[in-house]
Amino acid sequence: MMQKIIMDMDPGIDDAAALSVALNDPELDVDLVTTVSGNVTVDKTTINALKIINFFHDGDTVPVAAGVQDPLVKPFEDAARIHGESGMRGYEFSDDLPSPLKKTAVAALHEHIMNCEEQVTLVATGSYTNVALLLSEYPEVKSKLSRIVAMGGALGRGNMTSAAEFNVFTDPDAAKIMYQSGVPIVMIGLDVTKRALLTNETLEEIQNMNRAGKMLHDIITSDGDQSENGVAMHDINTIFYLLHPEDLITEPMWIDIQTMGPANGATVGDIRGAYHNGETNADVAVDIDAAAFNRWFKTEVQNMKK
């Protein structure tokens, strides 16, 4: 049975790679893509989402709706230093693109979720501004969401500050609303995404598989977040979790979001279960089979029809 998903994202190289896999895997039905500012501004993330969809669909498009430009409270800070000024450097895509929907991301999310006969999974791989506005303005969608699978956060060291991961740091106030919403959440944070690097061997192999492999190789190797052991493609881990949850270890816990001071954007997990009367609000990924992740990604690329 196919999983119906909606993707809210800020492409961004790792978002683009996650979207590429989601569009091609037969077990996933991408119903809608909404965009938000994060890696770059929302006008650029929207274009990048359309480029990836057009690359694989040739006009038979998945609808895309553009979201908000600014975080709820704090000033916007992008990650162009990592992803380039366009947000998706490394490959020349066609400029003949379909248009995004005229409605806003929040309006599109509300309409699509309420019109779904079954519950839908929302995959959030950017800042959570659209998600927070949706849950605040249209609380009736909560019963239609089976879960939110969110890339972001860290129980340990962040990548924006010593405490904060980028997606949560970009709009911590939105993250707080999401984690307090009561919707089931799976947190895929740096605790696993920094372990599941796409290795240099994997990247070398995919570039000769097909046109899609060449495209993914070129954008991924343009990412500024690289080490001698490979590239952290954080957002693809959400798709890996959807399809192979057995290859990740998750632990239920309560996640609090810090929204001020030097720890602004930190995700604080009640790892001892000592607070919140034993309640939890997220399943937090704490370990991953990195070798299985690389094997899976290569298989996904090999099976892409481009």
Side-chain angles (χ1 to χ4, degrees):
M1 183 176 176
M2 295 180 70
Q3 297 185 61
K4 185 179 288 292
I5 66 172
I6 291 173
M7 301 188 74
D8 185 73
M9 56 191 353
D10 62 338
I13 292 168
D14 52 339
D15 303 79
L19 179 59
S20 296
V21 174
L23 290 170
N24 283 277
D25 192 285
E27 295 184 30
L28 298 176
D29 178 13
V30 182
D31 200 45
L32 171 70
V33 173
T34 54
T35 59
V36 67
S37 291
N39 289 316
V40 286
T41 55
V42 73
D43 56 329
K44 295 177 181 178
T45 64
T46 304
I47 289 171
N48 291 342
L50 290 167
K51 284 180 176 179
I52 291 294
I53 292 169
N54 190 61
F55 179 91
F56 289 107
H57 282 237
D58 293 328
D60 182 19
T61 186
V62 174
V64 175
V68 293
Q69 165 58 36
D70 295 314
L72 297 181
V73 177
K74 73 187 292 289
F76 174 62
E77 182 178 343
D78 69 20
R81 69 193 184 285
I82 302 295
H83 297 262
E85 287 302 314
S86 73
M88 202 167 68
R89 61 190 172 195
Y91 188 85
E92 292 298 321
F93 291 89
S94 170
D95 291 324
D96 184 16
L97 300 175
S99 298
L101 299 174
K102 292 183 179 179
K103 64 189 70 173
T104 66
V106 173
L109 285 165
H110 176 248
E111 179 179 303
H112 273 68
I113 292 169
M114 296 307 296
N115 286 338
C116 285
E117 293 183 2
E118 68 272 21
Q119 286 187 316
V120 64
T121 295
L122 176 58
V123 181
T125 61
S127 63
Y128 310 133
T129 314
N130 290 335
V131 178
L133 290 171
L134 172 72
L135 296 172
S136 299
E137 294 177 17
Y138 302 107
E140 64 270 21
V141 303
K142 295 179 184 180
S143 64
K144 300 283 287 185
L145 291 172
S146 62
R147 58 186 170 173
I148 299 171
V149 178
M151 191 278 130
L155 297 177
R157 185 179 178 87
N159 60 0
M160 284 298 286
T161 69
S162 61
E165 177 275 332
F166 177 77
N167 284 348
V168 180
F169 178 85
T170 301
D171 196 342
D173 299 276
K176 185 171 185 176
I177 290 171
M178 186 182 78
Y179 275 94
Q180 292 181 346
S181 69
V183 176
I185 296 171
V186 180
M187 175 178 138
I188 309 291
L190 299 182
D191 309 284
V192 294
T193 68
K194 282 290 197 179
R195 298 180 190 180
L197 303 180
L198 289 179
T199 66
N200 298 321
E201 291 77 12
T202 292
L203 295 172
E204 185 70 22
E205 286 185 46
I206 67 168
Q207 70 171 324
N208 298 314
M209 286 181 174
N210 46 31
R211 185 178 164 214
K214 178 67 165 62
M215 179 271 288
L216 287 166
H217 168 273
D218 290 355
I219 67 170
I220 291 171
T221 55
S222 296
D223 190 282
D225 186 15
Q226 301 189 37
S227 72
E228 61 181 15
N229 297 317
V231 187
M233 285 286 100
H234 308 282
D235 297 332
I236 308 176
N237 287 265
T238 59
I239 307 303
F240 184 54
Y241 172 80
L242 288 177
L243 297 171
H244 293 283
E246 70 279 3
D247 288 321
L248 292 90
I249 296 174
T250 62
E251 295 181 4
M253 66 182 71
W254 189 278
I255 295 292
D256 280 313
I257 309 295
Q258 298 301 301
T259 57
M260 61 183 66
N264 194 10
T267 44
V268 181
D270 182 9
I271 59 174
R272 294 190 298 124
Y275 309 99
H276 308 287
N277 297 315
E279 295 181 5
T280 64
N281 63 357
D283 285 323
V284 181
V286 295
D287 202 359
I288 189 169
D289 187 333
F293 174 73
N294 274 267
R295 290 193 300 270
W296 165 81
F297 182 71
K298 287 187 288 186
T299 300
E300 290 284 343
V301 176
Q302 182 72 66
N303 292 335
M304 290 179 181
K305 297 178 174 62
K306 277 285 186 178

